[in-house]
Amino acid sequence: MSKYDLRTKTQSLSGISHGQSLLASTSLTPPLLTRIGGPTGFHTLSTLFYKRVFADIEHPWFLGIFATSTSTEAIDNQYRFLVQTFGGEELYKEKKGKYTRLVGRHANYKIGLQAAERWMYHMDLAIEDHEMLKDDEDAREALKMYFRFTAFYIVVASEYMRDDQLSGGTQLDSGRIW
């Protein structure tokens, strides 16, 4: 399946086009990294998000997806990824290597449509609670579109992963990191 086919299928499930998902990184002035408060702002967003995730005891099936990671590891990985994705230093690359391989890093986990929706539930609340974003509707909406497309892209693309495309091969990454 081509990347265009994956994007089309993702749009049909998420309601967000690939182009819309890019608005957070291409259309905001000043850029999102500045609007959110720099790298610290992404650390805050990741902390707000994972505090919700790790407290989600009403949905043990969802919490189980994160069982191989501590909240500290999860926050650090997401923070590094977001800083790099939105124009900051290559913090994720420093820790994980040359390629982000977002789908490959998640392929060992059973992530379906229900999990993508639950993930978005927590991320939407984290975005709404972020002090730097409270009065910035454009940034909030652009981030939500980015995350919604990305969450559903992971679901769609995971269906087509080969064993040699998994990050770390067919085993979980060493060091309990994703």
PDB file of all heavy atoms in Angstrom, residues 35-38 40-46 48 125-135 140:
ATOM      1  N   ARG A  35       4.804  29.159  20.435  1.00  0.00           N
ATOM      2  CA  ARG A  35       3.491  29.382  21.034  1.00  0.00           C
ATOM      3  C   ARG A  35       3.258  28.516  22.277  1.00  0.00           C
ATOM      4  O   ARG A  35       2.579  28.930  23.204  1.00  0.00           O
ATOM      5  CB  ARG A  35       2.403  29.110  19.993  1.00  0.00           C
ATOM      6  CG  ARG A  35       2.422  30.122  18.875  1.00  0.00           C
ATOM      7  CD  ARG A  35       1.592  29.648  17.712  1.00  0.00           C
ATOM      8  NE  ARG A  35       0.232  30.101  17.815  1.00  0.00           N
ATOM      9  CZ  ARG A  35      -0.402  30.774  16.877  1.00  0.00           C
ATOM     10  NH1 ARG A  35       0.211  31.104  15.759  1.00  0.00           N
ATOM     11  NH2 ARG A  35      -1.648  31.118  17.044  1.00  0.00           N
ATOM     12  N   ILE A  36       3.810  27.316  22.273  1.00  0.00           N
ATOM     13  CA  ILE A  36       3.590  26.396  23.394  1.00  0.00           C
ATOM     14  C   ILE A  36       4.564  26.652  24.544  1.00  0.00           C
ATOM     15  O   ILE A  36       4.418  26.082  25.622  1.00  0.00           O
ATOM     16  CB  ILE A  36       3.637  24.927  22.923  1.00  0.00           C
ATOM     17  CG1 ILE A  36       2.924  24.014  23.910  1.00  0.00           C
ATOM     18  CG2 ILE A  36       5.083  24.490  22.662  1.00  0.00           C
ATOM     19  CD1 ILE A  36       2.652  22.619  23.399  1.00  0.00           C
ATOM     20  N   GLY A  37       5.551  27.517  24.307  1.00  0.00           N
ATOM     21  CA  GLY A  37       6.506  27.832  25.368  1.00  0.00           C
ATOM     22  C   GLY A  37       7.843  27.138  25.212  1.00  0.00           C
ATOM     23  O   GLY A  37       8.533  26.914  26.198  1.00  0.00           O
ATOM     24  N   GLY A  38       8.195  26.787  23.972  1.00  0.00           N
ATOM     25  CA  GLY A  38       9.475  26.128  23.715  1.00  0.00           C
ATOM     26  C   GLY A  38       9.443  24.672  24.155  1.00  0.00           C
ATOM     27  O   GLY A  38       8.376  24.098  24.429  1.00  0.00           O
ATOM     28  N   THR A  40      10.060  23.296  26.916  1.00  0.00           N
ATOM     29  CA  THR A  40       9.397  23.109  28.213  1.00  0.00           C
ATOM     30  C   THR A  40       7.885  22.957  28.034  1.00  0.00           C
ATOM     31  O   THR A  40       7.247  22.187  28.746  1.00  0.00           O
ATOM     32  CB  THR A  40       9.711  24.303  29.145  1.00  0.00           C
ATOM     33  OG1 THR A  40      11.129  24.397  29.295  1.00  0.00           O
ATOM     34  CG2 THR A  40       9.053  24.144  30.493  1.00  0.00           C
ATOM     35  N   GLY A  41       7.324  23.676  27.076  1.00  0.00           N
ATOM     36  CA  GLY A  41       5.890  23.579  26.811  1.00  0.00           C
ATOM     37  C   GLY A  41       5.485  22.206  26.316  1.00  0.00           C
ATOM     38  O   GLY A  41       4.412  21.694  26.661  1.00  0.00           O
ATOM     39  N   PHE A  42       6.344  21.586  25.506  1.00  0.00           N
ATOM     40  CA  PHE A  42       6.048  20.220  25.063  1.00  0.00           C
ATOM     41  C   PHE A  42       6.234  19.225  26.200  1.00  0.00           C
ATOM     42  O   PHE A  42       5.509  18.231  26.280  1.00  0.00           O
ATOM     43  CB  PHE A  42       6.890  19.834  23.846  1.00  0.00           C
ATOM     44  CG  PHE A  42       6.325  20.345  22.561  1.00  0.00           C
ATOM     45  CD1 PHE A  42       7.045  21.210  21.763  1.00  0.00           C
ATOM     46  CD2 PHE A  42       5.050  19.977  22.155  1.00  0.00           C
ATOM     47  CE1 PHE A  42       6.518  21.693  20.575  1.00  0.00           C
ATOM     48  CE2 PHE A  42       4.503  20.457  20.974  1.00  0.00           C
ATOM     49  CZ  PHE A  42       5.241  21.322  20.187  1.00  0.00           C
ATOM     50  N   HIS A  43       7.173  19.491  27.086  1.00  0.00           N
ATOM     51  CA  HIS A  43       7.314  18.616  28.254  1.00  0.00           C
ATOM     52  C   HIS A  43       6.061  18.710  29.126  1.00  0.00           C
ATOM     53  O   HIS A  43       5.560  17.696  29.619  1.00  0.00           O
ATOM     54  CB  HIS A  43       8.573  18.979  29.055  1.00  0.00           C
ATOM     55  CG  HIS A  43       8.934  17.933  30.050  1.00  0.00           C
ATOM     56  ND1 HIS A  43       8.388  17.884  31.312  1.00  0.00           N
ATOM     57  CD2 HIS A  43       9.759  16.854  29.943  1.00  0.00           C
ATOM     58  CE1 HIS A  43       8.871  16.833  31.949  1.00  0.00           C
ATOM     59  NE2 HIS A  43       9.702  16.187  31.136  1.00  0.00           N
ATOM     60  N   THR A  44       5.536  19.909  29.275  1.00  0.00           N
ATOM     61  CA  THR A  44       4.295  20.097  30.035  1.00  0.00           C
ATOM     62  C   THR A  44       3.140  19.345  29.383  1.00  0.00           C
ATOM     63  O   THR A  44       2.375  18.658  30.066  1.00  0.00           O
ATOM     64  CB  THR A  44       3.966  21.598  30.150  1.00  0.00           C
ATOM     65  OG1 THR A  44       5.031  22.254  30.844  1.00  0.00           O
ATOM     66  CG2 THR A  44       2.644  21.824  30.877  1.00  0.00           C
ATOM     67  N   LEU A  45       3.012  19.451  28.059  1.00  0.00           N
ATOM     68  CA  LEU A  45       1.938  18.751  27.357  1.00  0.00           C
ATOM     69  C   LEU A  45       2.063  17.242  27.548  1.00  0.00           C
ATOM     70  O   LEU A  45       1.078  16.559  27.847  1.00  0.00           O
ATOM     71  CB  LEU A  45       1.960  19.092  25.863  1.00  0.00           C
ATOM     72  CG  LEU A  45       0.870  18.434  25.022  1.00  0.00           C
ATOM     73  CD1 LEU A  45      -0.520  18.893  25.461  1.00  0.00           C
ATOM     74  CD2 LEU A  45       1.094  18.728  23.543  1.00  0.00           C
ATOM     75  N   SER A  46       3.266  16.714  27.399  1.00  0.00           N
ATOM     76  CA  SER A  46       3.489  15.276  27.570  1.00  0.00           C
ATOM     77  C   SER A  46       3.173  14.840  28.998  1.00  0.00           C
ATOM     78  O   SER A  46       2.598  13.770  29.217  1.00  0.00           O
ATOM     79  CB  SER A  46       4.926  14.913  27.203  1.00  0.00           C
ATOM     80  OG  SER A  46       5.160  15.184  25.839  1.00  0.00           O
ATOM     81  N   LEU A  48       1.049  16.372  31.134  1.00  0.00           N
ATOM     82  CA  LEU A  48      -0.407  16.433  31.298  1.00  0.00           C
ATOM     83  C   LEU A  48      -1.070  15.207  30.669  1.00  0.00           C
ATOM     84  O   LEU A  48      -1.990  14.611  31.247  1.00  0.00           O
ATOM     85  CB  LEU A  48      -0.968  17.710  30.669  1.00  0.00           C
ATOM     86  CG  LEU A  48      -0.656  19.019  31.365  1.00  0.00           C
ATOM     87  CD1 LEU A  48      -0.991  20.208  30.459  1.00  0.00           C
ATOM     88  CD2 LEU A  48      -1.419  19.114  32.682  1.00  0.00           C
ATOM     89  N   LEU A 125      -7.813  16.577  26.239  1.00  0.00           N
ATOM     90  CA  LEU A 125      -7.892  17.182  27.572  1.00  0.00           C
ATOM     91  C   LEU A 125      -6.564  17.823  27.976  1.00  0.00           C
ATOM     92  O   LEU A 125      -6.544  18.906  28.576  1.00  0.00           O
ATOM     93  CB  LEU A 125      -8.316  16.146  28.603  1.00  0.00           C
ATOM     94  CG  LEU A 125      -9.763  15.656  28.490  1.00  0.00           C
ATOM     95  CD1 LEU A 125     -10.021  14.512  29.464  1.00  0.00           C
ATOM     96  CD2 LEU A 125     -10.749  16.792  28.723  1.00  0.00           C
ATOM     97  N   ALA A 126      -5.456  17.172  27.644  1.00  0.00           N
ATOM     98  CA  ALA A 126      -4.143  17.732  27.962  1.00  0.00           C
ATOM     99  C   ALA A 126      -3.929  19.058  27.218  1.00  0.00           C
ATOM    100  O   ALA A 126      -3.426  20.033  27.796  1.00  0.00           O
ATOM    101  CB  ALA A 126      -3.038  16.736  27.609  1.00  0.00           C
ATOM    102  N   ILE A 127      -4.328  19.102  25.961  1.00  0.00           N
ATOM    103  CA  ILE A 127      -4.202  20.339  25.172  1.00  0.00           C
ATOM    104  C   ILE A 127      -5.062  21.442  25.794  1.00  0.00           C
ATOM    105  O   ILE A 127      -4.621  22.582  25.937  1.00  0.00           O
ATOM    106  CB  ILE A 127      -4.593  20.085  23.702  1.00  0.00           C
ATOM    107  CG1 ILE A 127      -3.523  19.222  23.028  1.00  0.00           C
ATOM    108  CG2 ILE A 127      -4.793  21.395  22.948  1.00  0.00           C
ATOM    109  CD1 ILE A 127      -3.922  18.674  21.663  1.00  0.00           C
ATOM    110  N   GLU A 128      -6.287  21.099  26.160  1.00  0.00           N
ATOM    111  CA  GLU A 128      -7.185  22.095  26.756  1.00  0.00           C
ATOM    112  C   GLU A 128      -6.664  22.611  28.094  1.00  0.00           C
ATOM    113  O   GLU A 128      -6.888  23.766  28.450  1.00  0.00           O
ATOM    114  CB  GLU A 128      -8.596  21.521  26.918  1.00  0.00           C
ATOM    115  CG  GLU A 128      -9.311  21.261  25.612  1.00  0.00           C
ATOM    116  CD  GLU A 128      -9.524  22.511  24.760  1.00  0.00           C
ATOM    117  OE1 GLU A 128      -9.789  23.594  25.324  1.00  0.00           O
ATOM    118  OE2 GLU A 128      -9.417  22.401  23.524  1.00  0.00           O
ATOM    119  N   ASP A 129      -5.966  21.781  28.839  1.00  0.00           N
ATOM    120  CA  ASP A 129      -5.458  22.166  30.161  1.00  0.00           C
ATOM    121  C   ASP A 129      -4.103  22.874  30.118  1.00  0.00           C
ATOM    122  O   ASP A 129      -3.657  23.401  31.134  1.00  0.00           O
ATOM    123  CB  ASP A 129      -5.335  20.931  31.065  1.00  0.00           C
ATOM    124  CG  ASP A 129      -6.684  20.459  31.564  1.00  0.00           C
ATOM    125  OD1 ASP A 129      -7.688  21.190  31.402  1.00  0.00           O
ATOM    126  OD2 ASP A 129      -6.736  19.342  32.113  1.00  0.00           O
ATOM    127  N   HIS A 130      -3.449  22.889  28.976  1.00  0.00           N
ATOM    128  CA  HIS A 130      -2.118  23.489  28.864  1.00  0.00           C
ATOM    129  C   HIS A 130      -2.235  25.019  28.953  1.00  0.00           C
ATOM    130  O   HIS A 130      -2.892  25.648  28.127  1.00  0.00           O
ATOM    131  CB  HIS A 130      -1.482  23.080  27.542  1.00  0.00           C
ATOM    132  CG  HIS A 130      -0.016  23.313  27.476  1.00  0.00           C
ATOM    133  ND1 HIS A 130       0.547  24.571  27.492  1.00  0.00           N
ATOM    134  CD2 HIS A 130       1.012  22.431  27.379  1.00  0.00           C
ATOM    135  CE1 HIS A 130       1.858  24.454  27.415  1.00  0.00           C
ATOM    136  NE2 HIS A 130       2.172  23.170  27.345  1.00  0.00           N
ATOM    137  N   GLU A 131      -1.600  25.595  29.949  1.00  0.00           N
ATOM    138  CA  GLU A 131      -1.708  27.041  30.193  1.00  0.00           C
ATOM    139  C   GLU A 131      -1.304  27.889  28.991  1.00  0.00           C
ATOM    140  O   GLU A 131      -1.934  28.904  28.711  1.00  0.00           O
ATOM    141  CB  GLU A 131      -0.879  27.443  31.418  1.00  0.00           C
ATOM    142  CG  GLU A 131      -1.488  27.024  32.736  1.00  0.00           C
ATOM    143  CD  GLU A 131      -2.858  27.638  33.005  1.00  0.00           C
ATOM    144  OE1 GLU A 131      -3.082  28.831  32.672  1.00  0.00           O
ATOM    145  OE2 GLU A 131      -3.726  26.909  33.533  1.00  0.00           O
ATOM    146  N   MET A 132      -0.262  27.499  28.297  1.00  0.00           N
ATOM    147  CA  MET A 132       0.222  28.293  27.157  1.00  0.00           C
ATOM    148  C   MET A 132      -0.734  28.224  25.961  1.00  0.00           C
ATOM    149  O   MET A 132      -0.659  29.060  25.063  1.00  0.00           O
ATOM    150  CB  MET A 132       1.612  27.824  26.720  1.00  0.00           C
ATOM    151  CG  MET A 132       2.706  28.098  27.720  1.00  0.00           C
ATOM    152  SD  MET A 132       2.984  29.863  28.021  1.00  0.00           S
ATOM    153  CE  MET A 132       3.708  30.362  26.460  1.00  0.00           C
ATOM    154  N   LEU A 133      -1.626  27.255  25.945  1.00  0.00           N
ATOM    155  CA  LEU A 133      -2.541  27.093  24.816  1.00  0.00           C
ATOM    156  C   LEU A 133      -3.961  27.558  25.109  1.00  0.00           C
ATOM    157  O   LEU A 133      -4.793  27.607  24.210  1.00  0.00           O
ATOM    158  CB  LEU A 133      -2.568  25.614  24.385  1.00  0.00           C
ATOM    159  CG  LEU A 133      -1.239  25.028  23.930  1.00  0.00           C
ATOM    160  CD1 LEU A 133      -1.389  23.544  23.657  1.00  0.00           C
ATOM    161  CD2 LEU A 133      -0.699  25.769  22.708  1.00  0.00           C
ATOM    162  N   LYS A 134      -4.239  27.890  26.371  1.00  0.00           N
ATOM    163  CA  LYS A 134      -5.611  28.232  26.776  1.00  0.00           C
ATOM    164  C   LYS A 134      -6.233  29.343  25.925  1.00  0.00           C
ATOM    165  O   LYS A 134      -7.413  29.288  25.609  1.00  0.00           O
ATOM    166  CB  LYS A 134      -5.652  28.608  28.252  1.00  0.00           C
ATOM    167  CG  LYS A 134      -5.592  27.400  29.158  1.00  0.00           C
ATOM    168  CD  LYS A 134      -6.196  27.703  30.514  1.00  0.00           C
ATOM    169  CE  LYS A 134      -6.075  26.523  31.431  1.00  0.00           C
ATOM    170  NZ  LYS A 134      -7.090  25.524  31.248  1.00  0.00           N
ATOM    171  N   ASP A 135      -5.447  30.347  25.561  1.00  0.00           N
ATOM    172  CA  ASP A 135      -5.961  31.467  24.777  1.00  0.00           C
ATOM    173  C   ASP A 135      -5.509  31.421  23.324  1.00  0.00           C
ATOM    174  O   ASP A 135      -5.508  32.443  22.637  1.00  0.00           O
ATOM    175  CB  ASP A 135      -5.516  32.797  25.413  1.00  0.00           C
ATOM    176  CG  ASP A 135      -6.105  33.002  26.798  1.00  0.00           C
ATOM    177  OD1 ASP A 135      -7.270  32.600  27.012  1.00  0.00           O
ATOM    178  OD2 ASP A 135      -5.398  33.545  27.664  1.00  0.00           O
ATOM    179  N   ARG A 140      -4.305  25.162  19.450  1.00  0.00           N
ATOM    180  CA  ARG A 140      -5.016  23.992  19.999  1.00  0.00           C
ATOM    181  C   ARG A 140      -5.619  23.160  18.878  1.00  0.00           C
ATOM    182  O   ARG A 140      -5.476  21.938  18.852  1.00  0.00           O
ATOM    183  CB  ARG A 140      -6.113  24.424  20.979  1.00  0.00           C
ATOM    184  CG  ARG A 140      -5.618  24.898  22.310  1.00  0.00           C
ATOM    185  CD  ARG A 140      -6.723  25.005  23.359  1.00  0.00           C
ATOM    186  NE  ARG A 140      -7.976  25.541  22.880  1.00  0.00           N
ATOM    187  CZ  ARG A 140      -8.313  26.834  22.866  1.00  0.00           C
ATOM    188  NH1 ARG A 140      -7.448  27.739  23.307  1.00  0.00           N
ATOM    189  NH2 ARG A 140      -9.492  27.225  22.428  1.00  0.00           N
TER     190      ARG A 140
END
